[in-house]
Amino acid sequence: MESEFENDELFEDNCCSHSNERKSHHSEKAKKNLVSRLNRIEGQVRGIKGLIEKDAYCDDVITQISATQAALNSVAKLLLEAHMKECVVDRIQEGDMEVLDEVLVTIQKLMKK
């Protein structure tokens, strides 16, 4: 399966630092992409609120909620992909195997949804 950003170099910088202060370090292009996606999702949520306020048909509201959840899952998958390709690989190469437990917990959180 090819990544959405294969050859796009959106996550060219390491996504996470290795210091005690956990921070992401995405390229400006990657951040812009993620923020753009989140802005669209924010608009979808406002749209759902508007549908409810206008007493829209329940099935229509549920369909919009489903689309919004899928969009959020897409953002999460992109972040997880970058995290695994950069941060996790780097930490394993440094001998930090605890990162695998951290990733497993993160995946379990995503799968609960």
Side-chain angles (χ1 to χ4, degrees), residues 36-95:
S36 175
R37 287 170 178 263
L38 291 169
N39 285 338
R40 283 194 300 272
I41 292 166
E42 187 177 21
Q44 286 177 292
V45 171
R46 282 193 304 272
I48 292 166
K49 180 181 173 190
L51 289 173
I52 291 172
E53 289 172 343
K54 294 174 185 171
D55 296 320
Y57 186 59
C58 295
D59 191 56
D60 295 338
V61 177
I62 292 167
T63 298
Q64 291 305 311
I65 290 170
S66 177
T68 304
Q69 287 172 328
L72 274 172
N73 286 339
S74 179
V75 170
K77 285 189 273 186
L78 290 172
L79 286 169
L80 181 61
E81 177 183 345
H83 182 61
M84 292 186 73
K85 285 182 175 180
E86 297 291 338
C87 309
V88 174
V89 168
D90 289 347
R91 286 177 59 185
I92 289 172
Q93 288 174 344
E94 292 170 359

